[in-house]
Amino acid sequence: MKLNRSTDMALRIAMLTAASPARTTVDELATRLALPRSHVAKVVQRLQHLGVLVTIRGRSGGVAFAEHAAELTVGQVVRAFEGDDEVVACEQPVCPLIAGCRLRGRLRRAQAAFLAVLDDTRLGDLVDDPTGPLLLGLGAPAAHE
């Protein structure tokens, strides 16, 4: 199963904000993750609605990882961004094998297994060492010696 770009961005944004003790901005997220700002803004908004991020407006505002978001699972985020569609669309156009197909059931099981693994992974787990420090170093200016 291949995740769409928005899902990939959502997971990276969640990881970076989870690793960071300070608020950040959409512009900083876009720069640090090398992503288009307009896409980051849309994904941040969706993550806020899911309870992964909190956003604060105004001069001292920004984006932060929500207090209880560490307990959310990767599977929950993936489902929210990917939807519940099957891996293949057997009805559009209608496949002539649909009545006796043995593949569709196996693809459903494979998708369920994929999501089950992601359901066992909490967002907070994604930033355990060594990942957290690596995330915090993304896009940071190089130290001068």
Side-chain angles (χ1 to χ4, degrees):
M1 181 173 174
K2 182 177 180 179
L3 300 177
N4 70 48
R5 183 160 167 80
S6 294
T7 307
D8 173 43
M9 290 172 61
L11 293 170
R12 290 195 271 158
I13 290 167
M15 290 170 63
L16 181 55
T17 56
S20 179
R23 282 188 213 141
T24 188
T25 66
V26 168
D27 289 333
E28 290 168 341
L29 289 169
T31 298
R32 293 180 78 183
L33 294 170
L35 298 170
R37 188 211 181 279
S38 60
H39 289 101
V40 170
K42 291 175 187 174
V43 170
V44 163
Q45 186 177 36
R46 288 182 69 185
L47 287 171
Q48 178 191 8
H49 289 291
L50 288 171
V52 175
L53 301 178
V54 291
T55 58
I56 298 99
R57 291 181 182 248
R59 177 174 276 195
S60 61
V63 176
F65 197 66
E67 186 176 340
H68 301 290
E71 298 304 314
L72 296 172
T73 69
V74 175
Q76 289 172 300
V77 174
V78 168
R79 281 183 189 86
F81 277 81
E82 295 289 327
D84 291 327
D85 294 340
E86 291 187 49
V87 176
V88 294
C90 299
E91 290 85 17
Q92 297 179 1
V94 176
C95 176
L97 301 175
I98 199 164
C101 183
R102 298 181 70 177
L103 178 61
R104 187 176 191 186
R106 284 171 176 72
L107 290 173
R108 283 180 177 163
R109 284 187 18 227
Q111 183 176 15
F114 174 78
L115 291 169
V117 169
L118 298 180
D119 286 337
D120 285 340
T121 306
R122 296 174 307 143
L123 292 177
D125 298 336
L126 297 176
V127 295
D128 289 342
D129 284 343
T131 306
L134 178 65
L135 285 162
L136 294 175
L138 291 177
H144 296 290
E145 293 182 29

